[in-house]
């Protein structure tokens, strides 16, 4: 049949396409490409810049016998040192920043495609991950992004935490302590106490004296929770789902291609099998 003539070439094409697609999807996880542009050097080397890459995510989790406050302080500083604070003046975001803040096609082409759909476009242009590894691999973000990293790590361990946001800043409160992983500052007071007495923060932000007026203003105004526990749980589930789904199309192409090639070869071998038994009808010719 005509279809048999094209089954093997089509199968080989699908195998090649699947392999190329798989290489594209795996390129960023394998470190073959950089999915996101590097931050400006002034941001990397600035006071809120990069200190040390977080290689093993397990290092951010609490040791069995580690005192809670020591752990929270360590986590706050580690996340701050592993991320570059977003560098725009006044922490503002503009459409021109989308090349840095939208999800790259190399990271997850499915979400990247979803971001092209008009009704989803705005929400995906300045996207902040809740999955810690994804955010840390990108390597930079606003105070709300680093707070989401800390929040996810804490809640995964069953440690009660809430992200609070004000007009100028975003922090995490956990076990009655303020965790500012943007500045790398741990404050052993509740947010309510700091709101009432903003001067409590002065010694903890001593290395950022020029930012104190802005921080005083931020801490003295009302704060509100950023998101809900259920909402964050749903976002984490969606991120995990899309992370799994991105591998499905290339593997499907490979599987269909290999199956097609295998069937074509099996059919060819069947056709070429010599006839071992031939039944001839003979005629007896009498003398």
């Amino acid at each position: 049949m005509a279809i048999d003539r094209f089954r093997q070439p089509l199968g080989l094409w699908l195998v090649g396409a699947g392999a190329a697609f798989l290489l594209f999807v795996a390129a960023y996880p394998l470190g073959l490409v950089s999915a996101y542009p590097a931050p400006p050097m002034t941001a990397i080397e600035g006071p809120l810049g990069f200190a040390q890459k977080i290689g093993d995510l397990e290092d951010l989790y609490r040791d069995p016998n580690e005192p809670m406050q020591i752990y929270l302080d360590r986590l706050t500083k580690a996340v701050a040192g592993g991320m570059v604070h977003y560098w725009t003046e006044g922490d503002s975001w503009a459409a021109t920043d989308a090349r840095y803040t939208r999800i790259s096609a190399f990271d997850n082409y499915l979400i990247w495609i979803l971001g092209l759909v008009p009704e989803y476009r705005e929400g995906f242009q300045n996207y902040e991950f809740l999955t810690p590894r994804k955010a840390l691999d990108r390597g930079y973000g606003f105070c709300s992004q680093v707070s989401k990293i800390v929040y996810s790590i804490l809640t995964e361990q069953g440690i009660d935490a809430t992200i609070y946001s004000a007009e100028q800043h975003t922090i995490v409160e956990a076990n009655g302590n303020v965790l500012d992983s943007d500045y790398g500052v741990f404050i052993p007071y509740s947010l309510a106490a700091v709101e009432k007495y903003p001067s409590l923060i002065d010694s903890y932000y001593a290395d950022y004296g020029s930012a104190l007026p802005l921080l005083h203003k931020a801490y003295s105004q009302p704060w509100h929770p950023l998101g809900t526990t259920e909402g964050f749980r749903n976002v984490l589930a969606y991120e995990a789902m899309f992370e799994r789904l991105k591998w499905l199309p290339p593997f499907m192409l490979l599987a269909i291609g290999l199956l097609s090639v295998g069937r074509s070869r099996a059919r060819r071998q069947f056709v070429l099998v010599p006839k071992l038994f031939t039944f001839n009808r003979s005629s007896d010719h009498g003398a």
Side-chain angles (χ1 to χ4, degrees), residues 27-94:
Y28 177 50
L30 291 175
L32 301 178
V33 298
S34 179
Y36 298 97
M41 192 56 65
T42 52
I44 295 174
E45 297 177 349
L48 299 180
F50 181 78
Q52 183 176 356
K53 181 177 176 61
I54 299 171
D56 188 355
L57 198 62
E58 291 299 317
D59 292 340
L60 298 181
Y61 288 78
R62 185 186 180 194
D63 295 331
N65 298 318
E66 188 173 14
M68 181 60 75
Q69 283 199 334
I70 291 177
Y71 165 64
L72 295 176
D73 183 31
R74 178 173 68 82
L75 173 64
T76 303
K77 289 178 169 56
V79 172
M83 294 284 287
V84 176
H85 177 82
Y86 204 75
W87 48 90
T88 51
E89 186 175 351
D91 285 351
S92 60
W93 183 90

Side-chain angles (χ1 to χ4, degrees), residues 1 35 39 41 58 64 67 88 91 143 146 155 157 159 186 194 199 208 222 233 243 250 256 262 270:
M1 295 176 63
M41 192 56 65
E58 291 299 317
T88 51
D91 285 351
C143 50
V146 291
T155 54
Q157 300 174 86
I159 299 172
F186 171 77
V194 175
S199 60
Y208 307 100
R233 190 182 298 118
E243 188 65 18
I256 295 171
F270 176 78

Side-chain angles (χ1 to χ4, degrees), residues 41-202:
M41 192 56 65
T42 52
I44 295 174
E45 297 177 349
L48 299 180
F50 181 78
Q52 183 176 356
K53 181 177 176 61
I54 299 171
D56 188 355
L57 198 62
E58 291 299 317
D59 292 340
L60 298 181
Y61 288 78
R62 185 186 180 194
D63 295 331
N65 298 318
E66 188 173 14
M68 181 60 75
Q69 283 199 334
I70 291 177
Y71 165 64
L72 295 176
D73 183 31
R74 178 173 68 82
L75 173 64
T76 303
K77 289 178 169 56
V79 172
M83 294 284 287
V84 176
H85 177 82
Y86 204 75
W87 48 90
T88 51
E89 186 175 351
D91 285 351
S92 60
W93 183 90
T96 52
D97 294 309
R99 62 188 290 259
Y100 290 99
T101 58
R102 68 183 169 211
I103 296 179
S104 164
F106 278 110
D107 192 343
N108 194 306
Y109 64 92
L110 294 174
I111 301 180
W112 180 81
I113 292 172
L114 196 60
L116 300 177
V117 179
E119 54 262 42
Y120 297 111
R121 181 177 177 82
E122 184 177 353
F124 284 109
Q125 295 306 294
N126 182 18
Y127 188 84
E128 294 183 335
F129 290 104
L130 268 167
T131 305
R133 185 73 271 169
K134 304 291 287 183
L136 290 167
D137 285 344
R138 183 161 61 180
Y140 50 78
F142 293 98
C143 50
S144 49
Q145 173 63 93
V146 291
S147 294
K148 288 175 181 176
I149 296 172
V150 170
Y151 170 85
S152 293
I153 290 171
L154 290 175
T155 54
E156 186 180 340
Q157 300 174 86
I159 299 172
D160 185 50
T162 304
I163 302 177
Y164 284 99
S165 183
E167 186 177 348
Q168 289 93 1
H169 203 31
T170 303
I171 55 91
V172 174
E173 185 178 44
N175 274 38
N177 304 278
V178 172
L179 286 64
D180 184 349
S181 46
D182 195 32
Y183 287 85
V185 169
F186 171 77
I187 304 173
Y189 295 100
S190 68
L191 182 58
V194 175
E195 280 185 81
K196 190 173 182 179
Y197 304 106
S199 60
L200 285 173
I201 71 171
D202 291 5

Side-chain angles (χ1 to χ4, degrees), residues 185-251:
V185 169
F186 171 77
I187 304 173
Y189 295 100
S190 68
L191 182 58
V194 175
E195 280 185 81
K196 190 173 182 179
Y197 304 106
S199 60
L200 285 173
I201 71 171
D202 291 5
S203 61
Y204 300 100
Y205 287 96
D207 293 336
Y208 307 100
S210 61
L212 272 177
L214 178 65
L215 290 165
H216 278 155
K217 183 179 179 181
Y219 278 109
S220 61
Q221 63 185 321
W223 292 72
H224 61 272
L226 181 66
T228 64
T229 301
E230 183 180 0
F232 287 143
R233 190 182 298 118
N234 290 338
V235 172
L236 278 168
Y238 277 118
E239 288 181 359
M241 179 186 69
F242 276 105
E243 188 65 18
R244 292 190 298 268
L245 284 177
K246 74 178 185 180
W247 299 97
L248 186 59
F251 278 115

